[in-house]
């Protein structure tokens, strides 16, 4: 079929960015092929059980897997779209782009007019003793197991990293009934959003700042972990080490953009740590320096699904303009403004700095802090208490409020302000807030107590009349209480109302059932340890390309995804030269090993 | 067994019950699961013995990128079990070393 | 960077660093190597690493045999393990013409003192049972042929040369060669000027251009050649196996990857070293027919490098006539790695003593292309 071999557009990756890119292109009539490695489309969305921040136009307050479903439904109603699942692009060649279909072990050569690379990112690997033991898992792997296949990753988990992914996955582990012993964070502050951290902490998960993991214990599987404090240079202080009894160590120290295809296409890549490592150089229409290739989503810089979706749309609309001569410019411009607005808050400062290095200016106007609550006057009225003090790009509280009592305003990064006069105490904002940062409160002065509504996403859902522990912001048990009311929400963030003594009413932020129970590798393919790499550097292999060839780093089956950045980091530390000065090395095809059979037996091979 | 029976947010729609063989043992699985996920649900995390230092390794990324889950599946070495779906009657072996091409 | 040097070698591949090693080993001071990229970035780091003595031209056989003696002593002489394996080279003949050629070649090679023999089909089958021999007529086999890791060999020469006092400047590009009255005055680089009276062109794929810098016309052209490797598997292949008529070579590396390649026959001269999908599909269709075990194995990576071809597919090792003390060691036509030790030794002697001494480089001059050209036939 010629439109399959020679489509207008090839979209690589069916995550949030790719799906939206395809929707924009296909709805403008472009023949579009989507190639995706997953068993089903949706990318990381499929594993995301939390509700999204952002605004209503961009699925705020909708859970990731539901977003994937909606986008796929939209695509399935379109003509000209071919979706190739369980398929991998092997590489970008001068004579075409071969795609490997894994189940049938066949390949097919595509010659598209334009390519949107929305390949996302892969997990960064961390160096510590025995880090190759089974049970040391990337955060994405833990999400896949638990949220896609419904398999418990372990019983007791140590989370390494307190960025949004580490915090969200910790919370999801608790939802799956797994015990999270601790989150260790090497920095002196929590990396992710405050609301995500609060969610984890009120589950009783300690977040240990200035701590890292130095050893996994076990022979055939993780049986424990040794953690310790770090000094001001992030070096472990051995005297502070302690052992944790865990069977799983979850690595959530960040993601590494999957730039292989752009590099193979001849697109320039640049090291920009604010965006996650090496990223493609691109313009604000998402076009790389290789004319026919675009990028969108995490591959263009690690951010979040909402911006990935907008970037996908921008790329899709620009491809339409390339091939049809015109596009919906109004929509394109408004999406670009939308991106700037999302990145306008203090939590996006790093992203803005990274984009600036790429020559893409995002507004640097600082956000305006709102004045969240001033409840004095409304004591005794059922009303929300919004513990959202950090400016993040999000406004479902505003858009879900049936009485218009909550205002975030023009800049989506502002914090909400409540007009208690208009509020009717319905509690919808509590169930909509993606950060679970809205609580309900009504003082009961005659009883010297208060009614508190808590957003709740665990099972079993407590029942009315059930006795529960009342938990503070760090998961500490403050007192016991009785469930007064359960507000079941279709989006599965339910409201549990409990009665608590008046003096702790401002502290209760969680409930739990009363019966609640409770060798350092750099490169796995070649089995190279930190010592191996350091020795080679000491031997004078200080050119990354020579080091690579000396050690076969990045020549194994993983293609360097595990080791490349870590090796560059070691080289940078040892030589005192910034990573930017080293070339990332060639990212040779195939991007995924392919059998002889698949390459030889091509589907839809063109008749010569 | 460590499959989640229920979850506060997600409803798991599992495929047909099937069985496969691992190191001579018969194990159950559901259609639509990857080999690695099915093994993990049975408590098996040790998937291969590394070629160089004979170390126990399991998966890390679960998306077919990191290559630490290579196993021998139906006689074929170096299969990425984290992205390969389990099939009824499949014979899975813990891979020792780099993988044998000739019997 | 040095302001002056006795000798400036352009090119930090196996040939350039071998020359630097032998020059410094023989007492020469102030040797500078210029490498525009990094050590082993060019053809050396991209080649298959085969070390073969079975050639159709006797001068090549002698040069290769001398190189093999150096490879055999490499660990002792340079203190480096370069994964050198003498598993032999098995050359497969598929038709009558090749059968006749192999017979003639083996007689000549034995005359040069090489341990080489013809293997009949059943002998091949017995010794190498994993080859599907349907169309194979016979083979020639030399057990002292073999292969090594080109990166490690290149690094070892560079390291030893540095220890002997040579200066190797990587990420440094030669921009021009100053020639005054037929004499070399210096080399201009992107990091400054180096005064020198002697230049060696060991620039592999760019030999014609580096010749042009001094006004020396070197009749070489570069062609893209591609190679692929599989995922590492347990050891199965001892020899390197090649065929001229079927246009392939295959071997297994020390780390277990099976490496193979072919010549792209209709490629035009260019500096393109991007790999193509066509190469991969041709190999994937062709190779499992002879090596059925490949059906169960995956392609891990492939890449391309440049063959610097001379008109007769033999190296050009010479001193220029028009410009004094301009030497070249170029045009290796895909066989520079295996010939580098002998060439390095011979050229070092030539520079120091005025003649190559024990190494016979007599048939490899720049002036040999005027009459009828006798092409080396044993080339993939």
């Amino acid at each position: 079929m010629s439109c399959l071999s020679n489509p207008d557009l090839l979209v690589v990756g069916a995550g949030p960015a790719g799906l939206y890119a395809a929707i924009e292109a296909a709805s403008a009539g472009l023949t579009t092929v989507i190639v995706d490695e997953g068993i089903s489309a949706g990318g990381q969305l499929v594993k995301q059980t939390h509700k999204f921040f952002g605004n209503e136009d961009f699925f705020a307050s909708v859970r990731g897997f539901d977003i994937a479903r909606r986008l796929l439904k939209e695509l399935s109603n379109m003509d000209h779209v071919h979706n190739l699942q369980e398929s991998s692009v092997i590489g970008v060649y001068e004579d075409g782009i071969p795609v490997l279909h894994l189940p049938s072990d066949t390949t097919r050569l595509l010659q598209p007019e334009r390519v949107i690379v929305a390949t996302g990112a892969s997990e960064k690997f961390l160096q510590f003793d025995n880090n190759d033991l089974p049970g040391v898992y990337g955060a994405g792997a833990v999400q896949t197991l638990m949220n896609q296949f419904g398999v418990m990753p372990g019983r007791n988990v140590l989370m390494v990293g307190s960025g949004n992914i580490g915090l969200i996955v910790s919370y999801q582990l608790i939802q799956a009934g797994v015990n999270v012993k601790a989150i260790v964070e090497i920095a002196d502050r929590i990396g992710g959003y405050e609301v995500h951290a609060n969610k984890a902490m009120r589950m009783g998960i300690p977040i240990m700042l200035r701590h890292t993991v130095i050893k996994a214990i076990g022979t055939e599987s993780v049986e424990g972990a040794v953690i310790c404090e770090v000094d001001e240079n992030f070096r472990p202080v051995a005297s502070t080490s302690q052992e944790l009894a865990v069977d799983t160590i979850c690595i959530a120290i960040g993601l590494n953009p999957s730039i292989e295809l752009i590099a193979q296409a001849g697109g320039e890549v640049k090291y920009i740590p604010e965006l996650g490592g090496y990223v493609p150089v691109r313009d604000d229409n998402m076009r790389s320096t290789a004319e026919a290739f675009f990028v969108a989503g995490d591959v263009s810089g690690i951010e979040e699904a909402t911006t990935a979706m907008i970037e996908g749309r921008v790329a899709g609309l620009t491809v339409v303009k390339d091939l049809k001569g015109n596009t919906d410019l109004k929509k394109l411009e408004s999406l670009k403004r939308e991106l700037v607005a999302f990145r306008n808050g203090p939590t996006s400062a790093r992203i803005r700095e990274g984009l600036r290095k790429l020559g893409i200016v995002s507004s640097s106007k600082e956000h305006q802090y709102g004045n969240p609550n001033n409840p004095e006057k409304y004591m005794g009225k059922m009303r929300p208490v919004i513990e959202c003090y950090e400016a993040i790009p999000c406004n479902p509280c505003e858009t879900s409020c049936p009485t218009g009592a909550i205002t975030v305003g023009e800049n989506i990064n502002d914090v909400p302000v409540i007009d208690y006069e208009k509020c009717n105490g319905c509690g919808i904002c509590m169930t909509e807030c993606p950060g679970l940062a809205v609580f309900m409160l009504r003082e009961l002065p005659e009883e010297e107590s208060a009614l508190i509504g808590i957003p709740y996403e665990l099972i079993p859902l407590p029942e009315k009349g059930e006795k529960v522990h009342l938990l503070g912001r760090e998961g500490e048990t403050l007192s016991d209480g009785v469930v007064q009311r359960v507000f079941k929400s279709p989006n599965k963030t339910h409201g549990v109302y409990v009665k608590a003594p008046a003096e702790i009413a401002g502290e209760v932020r969680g409930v739990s059932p009363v019966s609640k129970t409770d060798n350092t590798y750099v490169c796995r393919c070649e089995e190279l340890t930190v010592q191996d790499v350091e020795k080679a550097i000491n031997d004078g292999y200080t050119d990354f390309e020579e080091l690579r060839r000396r050690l076969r780093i990045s020549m194994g089956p993983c293609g360097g995804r595990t080791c490349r950045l870590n090796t560059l980091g070691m080289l940078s530390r040892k030589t005192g030269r910034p990573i930017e000065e080293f070339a990332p090395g060639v990212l040779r095809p195939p991007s995924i090993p392919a059998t002889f059979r698949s390459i030889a037996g091509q589907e839809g091979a063109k008749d010569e | 067994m460590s499959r989640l029976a229920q979850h506060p947010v997600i409803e798991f729609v599992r495929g047909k019950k099937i069985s496969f063989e691992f190191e001579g043992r018969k194990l159950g699985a559901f259609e639509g699961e990857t080999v690695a996920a099915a093994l993990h649900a049975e408590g098996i995390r040790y998937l291969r013995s590394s070629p160089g230092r004979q170390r126990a390794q399991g998966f890390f990324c679960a998306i077919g990128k990191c290559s630490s889950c290579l196993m021998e599946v139906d006689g074929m070495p170096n299969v990425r079990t984290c992205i390969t779906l389990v099939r009824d009657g499949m014979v899975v072996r813990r891979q020792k070393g780099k993988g044998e091409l000739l019997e | 960077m040095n302001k002056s040097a006795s000798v400036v070698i352009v090119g930090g591949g196996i040939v350039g660093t071998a020359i630097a090693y032998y020059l410094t080993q023989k007492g020469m001071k102030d040797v500078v190597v210029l490498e525009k990229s990094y050590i082993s970035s060019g053809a050396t780091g991209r080649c298959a690493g085969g070390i073969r003595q079975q050639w159709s031209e006797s001068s090549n056989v002698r040069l290769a045999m001398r190189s093999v003696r150096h490879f055999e002593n490499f660990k002792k002489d340079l203190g480096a393990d370069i994964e050198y394996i003498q598993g032999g080279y098995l050359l497969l003949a598929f038709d009558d013409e090749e059968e006749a050629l192999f017979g003639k070649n083996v007689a000549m090679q034995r005359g040069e003192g090489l341990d080489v023999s013809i293997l009949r089909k059943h002998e091949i089958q017995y010794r190498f049972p994993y080859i599907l021999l349907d169309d194979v007529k016979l083979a020639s086999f030399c057990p002292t042929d073999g292969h090594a890791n080109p990166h490690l060999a290149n690094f070892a020469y560079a390291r030893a040369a540095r220890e002997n006092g040579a200066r190797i400047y990587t990420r440094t590009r030669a921009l021009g060669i100053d020639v005054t009255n037929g004499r070399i005055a210096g080399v201009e680089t992107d990091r400054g000027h180096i005064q020198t009276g002697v230049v060696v062109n060991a620039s592999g794929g760019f030999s014609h251009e580096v010749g042009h810098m001094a006004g020396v016309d070197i009749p070489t052209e570069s062609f893209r050649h591609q190679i692929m490797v599989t995922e590492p598997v347990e050891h199965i292949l001892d020899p390197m196996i090649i065929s001229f008529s079927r246009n392939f070579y295959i071997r297994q590396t020390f780390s277990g990857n099976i490496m193979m390649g072919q010549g792209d026959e209709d490629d035009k001269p260019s500096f393109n070293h991007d790999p193509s999908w066509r190469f991969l599909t041709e190999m994937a269709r062709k190779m499992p027919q002879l090596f059925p075990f490949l059906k169960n194995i995956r392609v891990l990576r492939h890449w391309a490098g440049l063959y610097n071809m001379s008109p007769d597919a033999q190296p050009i090792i010479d001193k220029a006539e028009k410009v004094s003390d301009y030497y070249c060691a170029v045009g290796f036509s895909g066989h520079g790695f295996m010939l580098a030790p002998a060439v390095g030794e011979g050229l070092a002697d030539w520079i120091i003593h005025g003649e190559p001494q024990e190494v016979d480089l007599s048939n490899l001059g720049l002036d040999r292309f005027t009459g009828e050209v006798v092409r080396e036939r044993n080339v993939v």
Side-chain angles (χ1 to χ4, degrees):
Chain A
M1 206 185 334
S2 75
C3 72
L4 188 47
S5 324
N6 301 296
D8 294 325
L9 173 64
L10 167 65
V11 177
V12 189
L19 287 178
Y20 245 133
I23 287 173
E24 291 295 352
S27 59
L30 298 186
T31 55
T32 302
V33 172
I34 309 171
V35 170
D36 184 69
E37 291 184 331
I39 292 163
S40 54
Q44 297 303 304
L45 287 174
V46 178
K47 309 172 195 170
Q48 290 173 351
T49 58
H50 60 284
K51 293 180 292 189
F52 275 51
F53 292 126
N55 71 27
E56 228 177 7
D57 293 343
F58 299 98
F59 302 109
S61 213
V62 181
R63 297 182 194 276
F65 56 85
D66 280 329
I67 298 178
R69 263 180 230 154
R70 293 194 204 174
L71 294 182
L72 286 170
K73 191 163 171 238
E74 194 171 344
L75 265 179
S76 68
N77 294 327
M78 289 182 178
D79 300 327
H80 330 292
V81 183
H82 295 275
N83 199 353
L84 306 176
Q85 287 303 139
E86 292 184 77
S87 297
S88 263
V89 167
I90 288 179
V92 177
Y93 293 94
E94 58 186 22
D95 42 357
I97 299 179
V99 174
L100 171 68
H101 182 236
L102 288 159
S104 66
D105 204 21
T106 54
T107 52
R108 142 194 336 263
L109 190 63
L110 303 185
Q111 282 158 332
E113 293 292 324
R114 290 291 182 275
V115 180
I116 294 176
V117 176
T119 41
S122 60
E123 207 85 55
K124 280 182 181 161
F125 191 43
L126 182 68
Q127 269 76 69
F128 55 89
D129 212 9
N130 289 332
N131 57 352
D132 63 335
L133 259 190
V136 176
Y137 297 146
V142 164
Q143 282 188 300
T144 303
L145 265 187
M146 153 174 95
N147 298 344
Q148 195 171 352
F149 297 112
V151 172
M152 280 172 90
R155 300 282 169 192
N156 293 290
V157 176
L158 169 67
M159 179 65 64
V160 183
S162 74
N164 277 334
I165 294 179
L167 297 172
I168 290 171
V169 174
S170 294
Y171 178 76
Q172 291 175 349
L173 280 161
I174 300 283
Q175 285 185 305
V178 179
N179 187 20
V180 180
K181 286 264 176 161
I183 300 173
V184 289
E185 168 59 57
I186 199 161
D188 53 14
R189 56 183 297 261
I190 292 168
Y193 289 170
E194 196 180 321
V195 287
H196 284 319
N198 290 345
K199 267 162 68 176
M201 284 196 292
R202 76 176 91 103
M203 292 296 152
I205 306 173
I207 301 183
M208 304 172 77
L209 299 176
R210 305 199 67 87
H211 275 75
T212 192
V213 58
I214 55 170
K215 184 177 185 170
I217 302 166
T219 49
E220 291 193 355
S221 184
V222 172
E223 291 160 21
V226 181
I227 61 169
C228 77
E229 284 176 32
V230 295
D231 65 15
E232 55 280 5
N233 297 314
F234 302 113
R235 281 188 305 246
V237 181
S239 61
T240 64
S241 59
Q242 53 173 304
E243 214 174 296
L244 296 182
V246 295
D247 58 8
T248 304
I249 298 172
C250 180
I251 309 291
I253 57 164
L255 298 170
N256 187 12
S258 299
I259 56 166
E260 291 81 4
L261 299 180
I262 282 293
Q264 286 166 21
E268 195 189 329
V269 297
K270 208 171 164 184
Y271 183 77
I272 299 185
E274 291 86 353
L275 298 178
Y278 282 95
V279 292
V281 174
R282 47 91 171 177
D283 64 16
D284 70 341
N285 287 318
M286 307 312 295
R287 191 195 300 269
S288 78
T289 61
E291 187 74 13
F293 288 75
F294 293 73
V295 290
D298 274 353
V299 68
S300 70
I302 306 301
E303 214 176 338
E304 52 179 311
T306 308
T307 47
M309 288 188 273
I310 307 177
E311 287 182 347
R313 297 177 71 178
V314 168
L317 288 168
T318 309
V319 168
V320 172
K321 181 159 188 286
D322 267 18
L323 300 182
K324 296 218 139 185
N326 56 54
T327 192
D328 187 342
L329 281 176
K330 249 177 92 181
K331 193 184 209 180
L332 181 61
E333 290 311 315
S334 113
L335 285 166
K336 287 204 249 175
R337 278 197 303 275
E338 214 48 84
L339 269 180
V340 170
F342 265 99
R343 293 170 175 152
N344 205 14
T347 53
S348 298
R350 272 175 70 81
I351 301 287
R352 286 199 300 274
E353 176 58 18
L355 292 174
R356 194 189 56 76
K357 291 184 181 175
L358 279 179
I360 295 165
V361 182
S362 253
S363 163
S364 57
K365 189 175 134 258
E366 275 303 304
H367 70 288
Q368 306 286 312
Y369 282 103
N371 174 19
N373 322 293
N374 182 17
E376 297 294 317
K377 194 176 150 196
Y378 301 95
M379 294 265 277
K381 176 179 175 176
M382 178 59 85
R383 64 193 190 279
V385 174
I386 304 186
E387 302 203 330
C388 174
Y389 308 115
E390 185 185 42
I392 52 178
C394 182
N395 71 357
C397 53
E398 176 178 24
T399 52
S400 68
C401 179
T403 64
I406 304 177
T407 312
V408 173
E410 194 84 339
N411 184 346
I412 191 168
N413 282 289
D414 281 347
V415 294
V417 181
I418 311 170
D419 181 344
Y420 289 113
E421 208 60 58
K422 288 187 188 166
C423 174
N424 68 1
C426 67
I428 288 176
C429 50
M430 169 175 66
T431 65
E432 288 293 323
C433 173
L436 306 191
V438 180
F439 307 89
M440 301 303 290
L441 174 68
R442 182 186 166 193
E443 296 83 352
L444 305 167
E446 61 278 17
E447 296 181 29
E448 291 187 357
S449 67
L451 202 54
I452 304 157
I454 308 281
Y456 198 84
E457 294 186 329
L458 301 181
I459 45 170
L461 186 63
E463 290 172 8
K464 188 177 170 180
E466 187 176 330
K467 193 176 168 192
V468 290
H469 295 308
L470 304 178
L471 306 178
R473 291 188 174 81
E474 293 181 5
E476 72 280 19
T477 301
L478 299 170
S479 177
D480 287 348
V482 174
V483 175
Q484 304 294 316
R485 181 189 161 211
V486 177
F487 170 26
K488 282 186 116 176
S489 165
N491 74 8
K492 294 185 181 171
T493 304
H494 310 294
V496 174
Y497 290 78
V498 289
K499 200 182 271 188
E503 64 271 20
I504 59 165
E507 305 299 319
V508 175
R509 291 298 175 260
V511 296
S512 73
V514 169
S515 60
K516 194 183 170 191
T517 55
D518 248 352
N519 291 337
T520 311
Y521 283 86
V522 179
C523 159
R524 266 189 304 244
C525 297
E526 299 294 333
E527 297 179 62
L528 296 169
T529 62
V530 168
Q531 282 115 38
D532 294 331
V533 178
E534 284 183 344
K535 181 176 181 304
I537 297 172
N538 290 341
D539 282 350
Y541 294 93
T542 53
D543 189 310
F544 177 61
E545 290 290 357
E546 292 180 9
L547 183 64
R548 226 158 73 80
R549 284 162 176 77
R550 177 72 186 86
L551 294 174
R552 306 182 51 79
I553 281 254
S554 85
M555 293 188 187
C558 90
R561 289 177 181 91
T562 308
C563 54
R564 191 186 300 271
L565 261 191
N566 287 326
T567 308
L568 280 164
M570 290 175 72
L571 199 52
S572 166
R573 281 193 297 279
K574 278 259 180 199
T575 58
R577 293 165 56 200
I579 291 184
E580 290 87 329
E581 283 187 17
F582 299 95
V586 191
L587 300 160
R588 298 193 197 283
S591 300
I592 180 165
T595 59
F596 277 65
R597 192 189 299 136
S598 72
I599 295 167
Q602 292 181 45
E603 257 184 24
K606 270 198 297 184
D607 296 322
E608 304 277 328
Chain B
M1 288 292 285
S2 61
R3 280 191 187 78
L4 295 167
Q6 50 171 355
H7 190 281
V9 176
I10 316 167
E11 281 162 43
F12 295 108
V13 184
R14 294 200 161 91
K16 210 175 83 186
K17 179 102 179 132
I18 54 174
S19 65
F20 68 108
E21 193 186 306
F22 169 73
E23 300 283 307
R25 280 164 64 192
K26 195 174 159 186
L27 300 176
F30 292 98
E31 261 180 9
E33 288 179 341
T34 60
V35 174
L39 286 170
H40 201 284
E42 293 285 347
I44 294 151
R45 296 171 149 202
Y46 169 18
L47 306 182
R48 72 151 178 177
S49 167
S50 73
R53 308 186 194 199
Q54 284 90 46
R55 290 174 63 88
Q57 295 185 335
F59 63 80
F60 174 74
C61 76
I63 51 169
K65 302 292 181 196
C66 78
S67 300
S68 70
C69 65
L70 304 184
M71 300 182 81
E72 194 185 300
V73 174
D74 290 337
M76 177 111 173
N78 299 324
V79 173
R80 285 165 166 69
T81 52
C82 75
I83 52 167
T84 304
L85 294 182
V86 65
R87 282 190 315 273
D88 196 39
M90 200 175 233
V91 178
V92 179
R93 285 167 64 185
R94 194 173 269 151
Q95 184 165 317
K96 301 217 158 43
K98 291 168 186 168
E100 299 278 355
L101 284 184
L102 302 170
E103 285 304 307
Chain C
M1 203 171 82
N2 280 27
K3 294 267 182 253
S4 68
S6 311
V7 178
V8 172
I9 299 165
V10 182
I14 191 80
V15 174
T17 54
I19 295 168
Y21 166 73
Y22 280 106
L23 281 173
T24 52
Q25 193 71 3
K26 290 168 189 283
M28 188 104 175
K29 300 287 172 217
D30 293 338
V31 174
V32 162
V33 178
L34 301 177
E35 168 52 54
K36 66 175 164 37
S37 196
Y38 51 90
I39 300 297
S40 86
S41 56
T44 301
R46 296 161 186 276
C47 81
I51 297 168
R52 158 162 69 106
Q53 302 157 93
Q54 300 178 70
W55 296 93
S56 71
E57 294 303 307
S58 55
S59 54
N60 286 339
V61 176
R62 287 195 295 275
L63 207 53
M65 285 173 71
R66 193 170 183 89
S67 277
V68 165
R69 281 203 292 282
H70 288 309
F71 277 116
E72 285 168 345
N73 292 321
F74 205 99
K75 206 171 202 165
K76 181 163 66 73
D77 293 345
L78 284 101
D81 181 355
I82 57 168
E83 299 173 359
Y84 179 50
I85 297 164
Q86 284 181 296
Y89 247 70
L90 185 71
L91 276 55
L92 299 176
F94 286 87
D95 54 36
D96 295 343
E97 195 195 332
E98 273 191 321
E99 191 173 340
L101 177 70
F102 280 23
K104 199 177 119 211
N105 284 347
V106 166
M108 179 271 287
Q109 291 156 359
R110 293 179 76 96
E112 294 291 342
L114 185 66
D115 173 15
V116 58
S117 50
I118 294 287
L119 300 186
R120 299 286 146 199
K121 211 163 163 172
H122 67 274
E123 293 171 289
I124 310 171
Q125 189 67 70
Y126 178 74
R127 296 184 62 171
F128 311 105
Y130 41 78
I131 311 175
L132 201 62
L133 293 174
D134 290 357
D135 298 332
V136 175
K137 291 258 178 192
L138 52 75
S140 75
F141 182 73
C142 168
T144 56
D145 285 347
H147 51 76
N149 180 326
H151 299 132
L152 299 184
N154 202 170
F155 293 148
Y157 273 136
R159 204 179 164 80
R162 276 185 176 129
E163 278 166 10
N164 289 341
R167 298 296 183 94
I168 299 179
Y169 297 110
T170 57
R171 310 277 176 189
T172 307
R173 184 183 288 269
L175 300 172
I177 297 169
D178 306 332
V179 181
T180 319
N181 300 326
R183 302 197 68 83
I184 289 168
V187 177
E188 192 61 38
T189 80
D190 57 1
R191 286 172 63 193
H193 186 270
I194 305 174
Q195 206 178 17
T196 186
V198 183
V199 165
V200 181
N201 177 354
S203 62
F206 306 92
S207 64
H208 182 79
E209 287 63 32
V210 174
H212 191 72
M213 285 179 188
V216 179
D217 184 39
I218 301 175
T220 50
E221 286 179 321
S222 289
F223 291 83
R224 173 174 71 172
H225 274 246
Q226 301 186 53
I227 295 192
M228 61 199 269
V229 292
T230 68
E231 289 181 319
V233 287
E234 292 297 332
H235 177 82
I236 64 168
L237 283 182
D238 284 322
M240 183 136 172
I241 304 165
I242 66 178
S243 159
F244 307 115
S245 61
R246 295 292 166 98
N247 183 23
F248 73 82
Y249 55 81
I250 182 169
R251 72 143 166 132
Q252 188 169 20
T253 67
F254 191 76
S255 34
N257 313 77
I258 297 178
M259 179 184 261
M260 64 203 87
Q262 66 172 8
D264 283 349
E265 277 152 358
D266 53 355
D267 256 10
K268 295 185 176 54
S270 78
F271 298 118
N272 178 10
H273 55 266
D274 292 330
S276 74
W277 177 243
R278 195 186 92 170
F279 163 80
L280 219 52
T281 53
E282 286 174 3
M283 292 298 284
R285 284 170 189 162
K286 172 166 76 180
M287 299 306 284
Q289 289 175 15
L290 278 153
F291 304 99
F293 60 81
L294 291 175
K295 280 182 187 142
N296 274 349
I297 191 170
R298 291 169 195 78
V299 178
L300 181 61
R301 206 164 52 243
H302 77 138
W303 63 88
L306 299 176
Y307 267 34
N308 190 232
M309 297 299 294
S310 72
D312 61 3
Q314 301 186 67
I316 302 173
I317 321 289
D318 205 356
K319 188 177 170 184
E321 288 223 335
K322 281 195 216 153
V323 181
S324 64
D325 294 313
Y326 183 96
Y327 295 85
C328 59
V330 299
F332 282 91
S333 307
H335 310 105
F337 174 68
M338 57 182 86
L339 298 177
V343 168
E345 180 195 12
L347 206 65
D349 281 333
W350 199 343
I351 292 166
I352 293 171
H353 304 293
E355 53 174 345
Q357 299 201 329
E358 290 171 41
V359 186
D360 178 8
L361 302 173
S362 56
N363 294 330
L364 302 175
L366 268 165
D367 57 359
R368 70 180 190 267
F369 306 109
T370 46
E372 193 194 340
V373 172
V374 182
R375 199 179 155 86
E376 168 61 52
R377 299 191 57 178
N378 285 8
V379 176
V380 173

